[in-house]
Amino acid sequence: MKKITHLLLAFTLLMVLAACGSEEDNENKLVIYSPNSEDIINTIIPMFEQETGIEVELVSAGTGELLKRIETEAGNPNGDIMFGGSKAQMLGNGDLFEEYTSKNNDNMLEGHQNVGGFLTPYGADGSVILVNTDLIGDIEINGYEDLLNPELKGKIAAADPASSSSAFAQLTNMLLAMGGDYTSEEGWNYVEELVKNLDGKVASGSGNVHKGVADGEYTVGLTYEDPALSYVRDGAPVEVIYPEEGTVFLDAGVEIIKDAKHLDNAKAFADFITSEKAQNAFAQELTIRSLGKDVEIADYKKPLEEINIIEEDEEYVEEHRSEIVDTYKDVFTGAQE
């Protein structure tokens, strides 16, 4: 009987130790939801793990899909951090996130700091035109107007603004650049003419736009700076064009998911992403724009002062997102008739 009791005690002790070990392992991890490119993920996540000793579990998907997931999991989230996605999208979902201001907030550029409580900007990305230099020939591309060239009909890659955040950013960029605001007749007339030149072709996702241009499937693509510059950096036969009519740069942010199970680790990530080490990586190794003060950018990035930058009305766009998308759907459908 004593032997059985001793065995039971030993088994119980082992179970307690196992539970403690499991709890310790659980405390030493961070679950990150991210729509970011592999380039960003494969650089920043290992740096964070090495710096902190925290193990990252990554869930990659599109911004819209991840936001729906966070909303569905509200109250008992599986994720701790949302890493990526445009600031405009996140501002309309503040109830899904915890308030936290990074200890490095003052080291970020003016106008790109956490002022709303829950969103920590860490980088900026701009809407660009990607050109395959092997296919473009004598056609000159300097901006949006040049995409109406009949010689480019059916040769322009573009995604659907209703399902792609980067395509939606392109849509609002061109409306602002070509019409001065988001409702003008001039802006929407341009969109209609561009849609006709797409010749009914719509890429299945934003990744297929830049990949399609780099692979020679399309001559030109409407995409965003981060993946476009990665092709330039790696020597692909492409050129990045910043529309002469104006380019919008949108902040990307990190947000801590409300009721995160690894809250301290999530705060550590927000602190790390705004640190000098991470911001220098964005500036010199990666293709997204750093928002840290006094960083030196890589030579494959065009200096911002050489780009015609126009400012998006983020509040208006967020409030009228569905209207803008619905108008685009009507324009697209009409152009196919």
Side-chain angles (χ1 to χ4, degrees), residues 124-142:
D125 213 341
S127 294
V128 301
I129 301 169
L130 187 64
V131 176
N132 185 302
T133 53
D134 287 343
L135 300 177
I136 195 65
D138 296 330
I139 301 174
E140 191 169 335
I141 305 291
N142 293 308

Side-chain angles (χ1 to χ4, degrees), residues 57-213:
E57 182 180 314
L58 179 69
V59 177
S60 293
T63 303
E65 181 181 339
L66 290 171
L67 282 173
K68 287 180 182 176
R69 183 169 181 161
I70 293 170
E71 190 173 5
T72 300
E73 295 174 352
N76 186 30
N78 292 320
D80 301 305
I81 278 278
M82 180 69 172
F83 175 30
S86 73
K87 177 181 176 181
Q89 282 179 291
M90 299 306 147
L91 288 176
N93 292 279
D95 57 324
L96 300 177
F97 303 111
E98 298 277 358
E99 290 202 1
Y100 179 69
T101 301
S102 163
K103 65 182 183 182
N104 303 310
N105 196 48
D106 291 341
N107 297 330
M108 307 302 282
L109 292 170
E110 292 292 331
H112 301 279
Q113 299 174 343
N114 182 343
V115 294
F118 69 89
L119 189 148
T120 300
Y122 66 85
D125 213 341
S127 294
V128 301
I129 301 169
L130 187 64
V131 176
N132 185 302
T133 53
D134 287 343
L135 300 177
I136 195 65
D138 296 330
I139 301 174
E140 191 169 335
I141 305 291
N142 293 308
Y144 287 126
E145 188 67 34
D146 297 320
L147 299 182
L148 302 185
N149 188 327
E151 293 184 56
L152 291 174
K153 188 167 186 177
K155 300 177 181 179
I156 303 171
D160 183 1
S163 57
S164 165
S165 60
S166 62
F168 180 79
Q170 273 283 0
L171 174 59
T172 56
N173 193 144
M174 65 180 66
L175 287 171
L176 188 59
M178 303 304 289
D181 58 35
Y182 307 101
T183 61
S184 73
E185 186 176 347
E186 294 89 344
W188 282 107
N189 283 344
Y190 170 78
V191 172
E192 182 178 6
E193 293 304 309
L194 176 64
V195 166
K196 290 177 182 177
N197 225 26
L198 297 181
D199 201 24
K201 296 182 179 179
V202 181
S204 59
S206 58
N208 290 323
V209 173
H210 50 79
K211 187 176 186 300
V213 175

Side-chain angles (χ1 to χ4, degrees), residues 5-323:
T5 302
H6 289 157
L7 284 172
L8 286 171
L9 286 171
F11 178 74
T12 301
L13 181 60
L14 284 171
M15 292 298 290
V16 170
L17 288 173
C20 290
S22 174
E23 184 176 343
E24 183 177 337
D25 291 342
N26 193 48
E27 289 298 320
N28 199 42
K29 80 169 188 176
L30 181 69
V31 181
I32 294 180
Y33 290 174
S34 182
N36 279 330
S37 65
E38 287 186 17
D39 209 17
I40 293 176
I41 293 299
N42 293 339
T43 300
I44 296 299
I45 300 301
M47 284 175 60
F48 171 72
E49 290 179 319
Q50 185 175 13
E51 183 89 1
T52 63
I54 296 170
E55 181 182 348
V56 169
E57 182 180 314
L58 179 69
V59 177
S60 293
T63 303
E65 181 181 339
L66 290 171
L67 282 173
K68 287 180 182 176
R69 183 169 181 161
I70 293 170
E71 190 173 5
T72 300
E73 295 174 352
N76 186 30
N78 292 320
D80 301 305
I81 278 278
M82 180 69 172
F83 175 30
S86 73
K87 177 181 176 181
Q89 282 179 291
M90 299 306 147
L91 288 176
N93 292 279
D95 57 324
L96 300 177
F97 303 111
E98 298 277 358
E99 290 202 1
Y100 179 69
T101 301
S102 163
K103 65 182 183 182
N104 303 310
N105 196 48
D106 291 341
N107 297 330
M108 307 302 282
L109 292 170
E110 292 292 331
H112 301 279
Q113 299 174 343
N114 182 343
V115 294
F118 69 89
L119 189 148
T120 300
Y122 66 85
D125 213 341
S127 294
V128 301
I129 301 169
L130 187 64
V131 176
N132 185 302
T133 53
D134 287 343
L135 300 177
I136 195 65
D138 296 330
I139 301 174
E140 191 169 335
I141 305 291
N142 293 308
Y144 287 126
E145 188 67 34
D146 297 320
L147 299 182
L148 302 185
N149 188 327
E151 293 184 56
L152 291 174
K153 188 167 186 177
K155 300 177 181 179
I156 303 171
D160 183 1
S163 57
S164 165
S165 60
S166 62
F168 180 79
Q170 273 283 0
L171 174 59
T172 56
N173 193 144
M174 65 180 66
L175 287 171
L176 188 59
M178 303 304 289
D181 58 35
Y182 307 101
T183 61
S184 73
E185 186 176 347
E186 294 89 344
W188 282 107
N189 283 344
Y190 170 78
V191 172
E192 182 178 6
E193 293 304 309
L194 176 64
V195 166
K196 290 177 182 177
N197 225 26
L198 297 181
D199 201 24
K201 296 182 179 179
V202 181
S204 59
S206 58
N208 290 323
V209 173
H210 50 79
K211 187 176 186 300
V213 175
D215 290 348
E217 183 181 353
Y218 292 94
T219 303
V220 180
L222 289 161
T223 184
Y224 53 113
E225 189 184 42
D226 175 26
L229 277 182
S230 69
Y231 292 107
V232 174
R233 182 196 59 194
D234 297 340
V238 297
E239 181 183 4
V240 176
I241 304 297
Y242 300 86
E244 62 184 1
E245 299 92 350
T247 300
V248 171
F249 278 83
L250 299 174
D251 286 0
V254 158
E255 300 84 30
I256 298 175
I257 297 171
K258 189 173 285 296
D259 301 318
K261 294 181 175 68
H262 309 99
L263 182 58
D264 289 340
N265 293 347
K267 291 178 178 179
F269 188 80
D271 290 341
F272 173 78
I273 208 70
T274 51
S275 69
E276 182 179 359
K277 186 173 184 177
Q279 287 300 309
N280 279 330
F282 285 125
Q284 298 164 17
E285 299 175 41
L286 295 167
T287 48
I288 193 172
R289 297 282 172 165
S290 168
L291 294 179
K293 294 177 180 176
D294 303 322
V295 296
E296 293 185 15
I297 65 170
D299 56 9
Y300 53 81
K301 292 179 179 178
K302 190 172 186 176
L304 289 176
E305 54 268 24
E306 297 179 14
I307 301 171
N308 178 21
I309 297 176
I310 53 179
E311 297 294 328
E312 177 141 293
D313 186 339
E314 294 177 347
E315 185 175 337
Y316 178 91
V317 169
E318 183 54 40
E319 289 178 359
H320 297 84
R321 175 181 291 269
S322 60
E323 296 170 35

